[in-house]
């Protein structure tokens, strides 16, 4: 018979009782290992339990790794969103400042033109309006809003009296 584990041809015979005992012990050990292997292969439940334990360990490790990756991705997204928000805020502030500056400049230009027009109207009123009506016209030029309101009221009275004459 040949030795299955070592591949050596069997010993031809023992040369003494001590060597025979050693061969017997070695054979017993090999036979015990072989029996353990066979028993392990036949123990389906035990192998399934061991495999399930391995899979549980791997799943736990993957869960930890996935949670870590998700947390890191969340932090990255948060950082990028914060950075983008700051950029948008900076651009909005710059745009607001530009609009404010342009509005202020347009207001100054309008105010200057209004002053020039008002001065021109006053000069014209002083030269061309008869004396008794001159203070009234100058007041209307200096304060156009009340003059417009009074003018609109007078126009409404004229229209109503023209449209609905007394009988």
């Amino acid at each position: 018979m040949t030795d299955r584990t070592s591949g050596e041809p069997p010993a031809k015979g023992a040369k003494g009782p001590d060597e025979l005992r050693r061969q017997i012990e070695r054979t017993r050990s090999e036979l015990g290992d072989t029996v353990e292997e066979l028993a392990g292969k036949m123990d389906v439940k035990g192998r399934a339990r061991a495999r399930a334990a391995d899979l549980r360990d791997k799943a736990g490790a993957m869960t930890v790794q996935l949670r870590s990756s998700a947390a890191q991705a969340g932090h990255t997204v948060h950082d990028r969103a914060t950075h983008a928000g700051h950029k948008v805020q900076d651009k909005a502030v710059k745009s607001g400042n530009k609009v404010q500056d342009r509005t202020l400049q347009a207001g100054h230009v309008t105010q200057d033109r209004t002053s020039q027009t008002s001065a021109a109207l006053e000069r014209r009123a002083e030269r061309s309006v008869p004396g008794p009506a001159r203070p009234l016209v100058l007041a209307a030029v200096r304060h156009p809003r009340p003059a417009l309101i009074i003018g609109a009221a007078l126009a409404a009275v004229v229209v109503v009296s023209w449209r609905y004459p007394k009988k």
Side-chain angles (χ1 to χ4, degrees), residues 2 5 17 39 49 52 56 59 64 74 80-81 85 88 95 103 105-106 117 130-132 145 149 157 160 166-167:
T2 59
T5 56
R49 284 186 189 132
R56 264 194 303 269
V64 169
R80 287 183 180 174
V88 168
S95 297
T103 304
Q105 189 177 20
T117 305
R145 225 180 248 166
I149 293 171
V157 168
V160 168
K166 283 192 175 179
K167 295 184 188 183

Side-chain angles (χ1 to χ4, degrees), residues 139-150:
V141 168
R142 288 186 189 117
H143 307 289
R145 225 180 248 166
L148 287 174
I149 293 171
I150 292 170

Side-chain angles (χ1 to χ4, degrees), residues 8-111:
E8 297 175 6
K12 302 255 178 185
K15 295 193 176 164
D18 291 332
E19 191 176 335
L20 184 62
R21 284 188 192 111
R22 277 184 268 152
Q23 285 179 355
I24 291 172
E25 282 301 315
R26 190 173 16 156
T27 304
R28 279 184 185 161
S29 173
E30 291 172 4
L31 186 60
D33 291 343
T34 305
V35 168
E36 279 184 36
E37 276 182 44
L38 289 174
K41 288 183 180 180
M42 296 304 289
D43 184 20
V44 176
K45 281 186 180 179
R47 288 192 333 194
R49 284 186 189 132
R51 179 78 173 141
D54 278 350
L55 291 175
R56 264 194 303 269
D57 291 345
K58 284 182 182 179
M62 285 183 127
T63 301
V64 169
Q65 186 178 7
L66 287 174
R67 283 184 181 163
S68 173
S69 297
Q72 187 176 10
H75 289 302
T76 302
V77 167
H78 180 265
D79 291 344
R80 287 183 180 174
T82 302
H83 184 68
H86 288 307
K87 277 187 172 180
V88 168
Q89 186 178 11
D90 290 345
K91 286 183 179 182
V93 167
K94 286 179 184 176
S95 297
N97 289 339
K98 280 184 181 179
V99 167
Q100 189 175 16
D101 291 344
R102 288 180 182 171
T103 304
L104 187 63
Q105 189 177 20
H108 288 307
V109 168
T110 304
Q111 188 176 12

